[in-house]
């Protein structure tokens, strides 16, 4: 097997694609010569203050509300070790491997800027852990998204010290010291400021934002595919998606979604065969006619979130920081508000796209609105229930997505004896967004199942080449219309094809890349 080229980590920000590659596919990392030099230079600044009797936050003081405590020189190494141990206070279920890997890469990226004052060997330890597939056990709860993702990052730092628990490359739960020894990695003995530098960042919420934006881009294109199949199978019109009509409201996401719908419906015998019916109906329901407006607004929301993520990827988030001219300055750049807002915004968009998808599915099941299809798409209505309960599943997920759309970033619980009196809750926003993205994919999968069955029931009229290719890819996993079957595996199979991008690929095999 060919060796993959490593991602070179230096002062330049990693791209979102690079973050996803390291987090999900194990692309190796290495530190550039320039990054090592920058870290060595900034470390000299910290070392020049190590024996200073004047207080310097994170070097010779306590933390948070305890910053008023001056720490004697002979206890400053202990200070860093105690900081990591006490802050590794997460609880609840384990966080996903890809999230922890993204978090570690992004902390490594900040260390490589030379603004944190850590020794090069600290960054090298993180790179070695990533390359060895060692994933610290990070717990769901513990971050307030201010002073960074303290507890999640502390669990990673604890593992680098050889303490706590990790998952090895095979996924086995082992003691951190044992995993480091097996990989030939020396446990870190933290020096002045290094514990603080390892835990004071927005890397967890940023990593989850990058992963969510990546997934949403693909799911939104797949939602266009589902909408096109629904318009087609419900005998809707494609006339409303015309480029000149869309240009009257020049939102870029809307234009992209409409272009996708035109491409997906091109060559549809069903649309052409029922064009007269579409004309006599005058207007389709909003869930069909307004798909580009809703899907497009979600795209524009993702674009805004990606812009915020890009700026954060280029940031050096730590407190205090070592400036280019050698000052060590306290700051508030660790506050997660910029990320918390867009994480919440994306959850709103995901809920709304899912809500519209569920409404299209519901139209298939109602004989008053499905234009000649059997009730609930059932083979023998009454004996068979068809897709009745699949829509219930959709509805349950959509209701959950609406709850997840309630913003976390408007909440704040003061901490650290009121020193940290306003926090972002960005980590919580990121955690619920992950559930929202998964829920959206599940909802779109159910719509695709219903639309594919409806297209089959429109025979002998043939679907468009693109929507037909999607239907055919589904049929490789899920049988066509017939008596009632166990639906859960079929929904699971469809959701897997959405998540893997295979249904999107089937459509693009006919249309070329969708926008």
């Amino acid at each position: 097997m060919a060796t993959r080229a490593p991602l070179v980590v230096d002062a330049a920000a990693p791209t979102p694609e690079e973050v996803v590659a390291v987090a999900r596919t194990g692309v190796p990392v290495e530190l550039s010569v320039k990054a090592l030099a920058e870290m060595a230079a900034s470390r000299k600044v910290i070392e020049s203050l190590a024996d200073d009797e004047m207080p310097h936050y994170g070097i010779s003081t306590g933390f948070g509300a305890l910053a008023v405590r001056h720490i004697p020189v002979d206890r400053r190494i202990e200070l860093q070790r105690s900081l990591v141990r006490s802050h590794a206070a997460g609880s609840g279920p384990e966080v996903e491997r890809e999230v922890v890997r993204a978090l570690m890469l992004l902390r490594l990226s900040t260390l490589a800027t030379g603004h944190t004052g850590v020794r090069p060997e600290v960054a090298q330890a993180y790179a070695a852990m990533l390359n060895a597939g060692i994933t610290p056990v990070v717990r769901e709860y513990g971050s307030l998204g201010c002073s960074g993702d303290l507890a999640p990052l502390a669990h990673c730092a604890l593992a680098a010290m050889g303490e706590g628990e990790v998952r090895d490359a095979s996924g086995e739960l082992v003691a951190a010291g044992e995993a480091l020894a097996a990989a030939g990695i020396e446990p870190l003995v933290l020096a002045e400021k290094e514990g603080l530098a390892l835990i004071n960042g927005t890397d967890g919420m940023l990593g989850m934002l990058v992963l969510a934006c990546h997934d949403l881009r693909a799911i939104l294109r797949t939602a266009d595919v589902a909408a096109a199949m629904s318009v087609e199978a419900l005998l809707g019109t494609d006339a409303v998606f015309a480029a000149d009509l869309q240009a009257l409201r020049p939102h870029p996401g809307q234009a992209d979604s409409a272009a996708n719908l035109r491409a997906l419906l091109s060559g549809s015998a069903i649309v052409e065969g029922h064009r007269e019916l579409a004309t006599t109906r005058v207007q389709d329901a909003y869930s069909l006619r307004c798909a580009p407006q809703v899907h497009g607004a979600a795209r524009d929301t993702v674009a805004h979130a990606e812009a915020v993520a890009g700026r954060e990827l280029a940031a050096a988030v730590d407190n205090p920081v070592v400036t280019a001219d050698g000052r060590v300055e306290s700051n508030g750049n660790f506050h997660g508000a910029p990320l918390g807002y867009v994480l919440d915004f994306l959850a709103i968009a995901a809920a709304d796209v899912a809500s519209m998808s569920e409404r299209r599915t519901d139209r298939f099941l109602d004989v008053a609105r499905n234009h000649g299809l059997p009730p609930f798409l059932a083979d023998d209505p009454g004996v068979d229930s068809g897709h009745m309960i699949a829509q219930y599943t959709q509805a349950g997920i959509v209701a959950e997505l609406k709850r997840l759309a309630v913003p976390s970033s408007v909440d704040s619980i003061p901490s650290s004896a009121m020193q940290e009196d306003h926090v972002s809750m960005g980590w919580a926003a990121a955690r619920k967004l992950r559930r929202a993205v998964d829920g959206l994919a599940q909802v779109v999968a159910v719509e695709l199942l219903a639309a594919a069955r409806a297209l089959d029931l429109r025979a002998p009229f043939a679907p468009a080449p693109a929507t037909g290719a999607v239907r055919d890819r589904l049929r490789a996993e899920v049988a066509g219309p017939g008596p009632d079957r166990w639906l859960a595996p079929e929904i699971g199979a469809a959701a897997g094809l959405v998540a893997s991008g295979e249904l999107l690929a089937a459509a693009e095999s006919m249309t070329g890349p969708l926008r």
Side-chain angles (χ1 to χ4, degrees):
M1 186 170 62
T3 302
R4 288 174 290 184
L7 168 63
V8 177
V9 181
D10 56 20
T15 67
E17 293 76 17
E18 289 169 339
V19 174
V20 173
V22 172
R24 288 185 171 161
T25 67
V27 167
V29 300
E30 68 178 34
L31 289 152
S32 72
V33 173
K34 182 179 179 182
L36 294 170
E38 293 285 353
M39 285 186 282
S42 68
R43 183 63 199 171
K44 290 179 180 178
V45 175
I46 298 300
E47 289 174 348
S48 71
L49 303 174
D51 297 332
D52 197 344
E53 290 302 319
M54 290 289 293
H56 299 282
Y57 182 72
I59 300 172
S60 57
T61 70
F63 305 101
L66 298 175
V68 295
R69 166 76 188 277
H70 182 73
I71 308 301
V73 172
D74 62 354
R75 302 198 67 188
R76 291 178 188 176
I77 301 291
E78 179 187 348
L79 171 70
Q80 301 300 315
R81 184 174 62 245
S82 295
L83 172 71
V84 171
R85 287 173 173 168
S86 65
H87 284 51
S91 68
E94 286 185 42
V95 171
E96 304 83 1
R97 180 177 186 270
E98 66 177 30
V99 171
V100 179
R101 286 183 60 82
L103 177 158
M104 292 183 69
L105 171 65
L106 295 172
R107 184 73 328 217
L108 178 62
S109 177
T110 284
L111 299 180
T113 65
H115 288 295
T116 68
V118 304
R119 293 166 296 155
E121 48 260 53
V122 174
Q124 288 169 323
Y126 268 44
M129 290 171 67
L130 284 167
N131 292 341
I134 296 172
T135 306
V137 172
V138 172
R139 300 292 175 180
E140 175 98 26
Y141 305 111
S143 174
L144 302 181
C146 204
S147 291
D149 291 318
L150 289 174
L153 284 162
H155 280 275
C156 295
L158 188 73
M161 291 164 48
E163 301 180 23
E165 295 177 317
V166 300
R167 296 280 177 181
D168 64 16
S170 69
E172 190 76 21
L173 182 67
V174 298
E178 178 184 329
L180 293 182
I185 302 170
E186 279 292 319
L188 287 175
V189 178
L190 299 175
E192 296 87 357
K193 192 186 178 297
E194 290 179 339
L196 185 60
L198 289 176
I199 69 172
N200 209 340
T202 56
D203 309 292
M205 60 186 103
L206 176 58
M208 286 185 275
L209 175 60
V210 170
L211 292 167
C213 287
H214 176 273
D215 292 344
L216 282 168
R217 281 288 179 189
I219 295 172
L220 289 173
R221 295 200 299 276
T222 309
D224 285 345
V225 173
M229 293 172 69
S230 293
V231 168
E232 189 176 27
L234 287 166
L235 309 185
T237 178
D238 60 351
V240 294
F241 308 134
D244 61 341
L245 295 177
Q246 301 298 318
L248 296 175
R249 196 184 193 195
H251 293 291
Q254 176 180 327
D256 287 346
S257 180
N260 288 347
L261 287 163
R262 293 194 301 272
L264 289 159
L265 291 169
S266 178
S268 170
I270 296 176
V271 171
E272 290 303 321
H274 295 86
R275 198 171 290 283
E276 184 177 339
L277 171 64
T279 302
T280 58
R281 268 210 315 271
V282 184
Q283 293 186 144
D284 290 326
Y286 286 5
S287 60
L288 305 178
R289 191 181 356 146
C290 302
Q293 285 75 14
V294 173
H295 295 188
R299 275 178 171 76
D300 292 341
T301 302
V302 172
H304 171 59
E306 288 171 335
V308 172
R311 292 191 285 269
E312 194 75 359
L313 286 168
V317 177
D318 193 14
N319 178 51
V321 293
V322 181
T323 65
D325 60 359
R327 301 182 343 267
V328 179
E329 296 285 0
S330 291
N331 65 89
N333 285 338
F334 49 74
H335 199 289
L339 301 177
Y341 294 167
V342 294
L343 289 160
D344 281 334
F345 197 1
L346 288 174
I348 292 170
D352 201 40
V353 172
S355 180
M356 178 174 259
S357 174
E358 181 276 329
R359 288 292 81 203
R360 289 191 294 265
T361 303
D362 185 64
R363 298 189 76 79
F364 281 119
L365 310 183
D366 183 357
V367 292
R369 296 178 291 147
N370 69 15
H371 306 293
L373 295 168
F376 302 103
L377 303 180
D379 186 62
D380 184 3
V383 173
D384 296 314
S385 296
H387 281 199
M388 179 192 293
I389 307 304
Q391 183 267 332
Y392 286 28
T393 298
Q394 266 191 323
I397 296 170
V398 169
E400 175 66 13
L401 293 181
K402 291 175 181 177
R403 290 188 287 271
L404 293 172
V406 175
S408 293
S409 56
V410 296
D411 193 11
S412 178
I413 298 179
S415 55
S416 193
M418 295 297 285
Q419 172 73 2
E420 298 169 7
D421 58 355
H422 183 277
V423 296
S424 78
M425 297 296 181
W427 173 271
R431 296 305 298 163
K432 69 184 181 65
L433 177 59
R434 284 183 67 81
R435 291 190 287 275
V437 171
D438 177 67
L440 172 59
Q442 300 276 345
V443 168
V444 170
V446 174
E447 182 186 359
L448 286 161
L449 281 176
R453 177 175 283 209
L455 286 177
D456 285 337
L457 294 170
R458 293 299 184 190
F461 289 101
T467 56
V470 174
R471 187 268 318 272
D472 293 346
R473 180 64 189 88
L474 261 175
R475 289 290 164 262
E477 308 290 336
V478 176
D484 280 355
R485 305 181 295 264
W486 183 22
L487 272 182
E490 299 188 0
I491 295 172
L497 292 172
V498 171
S500 69
E502 291 181 62
L503 294 183
L504 178 60
E508 292 182 330
S509 71
M510 296 296 173
T511 63
L514 294 172
R515 302 185 188 183

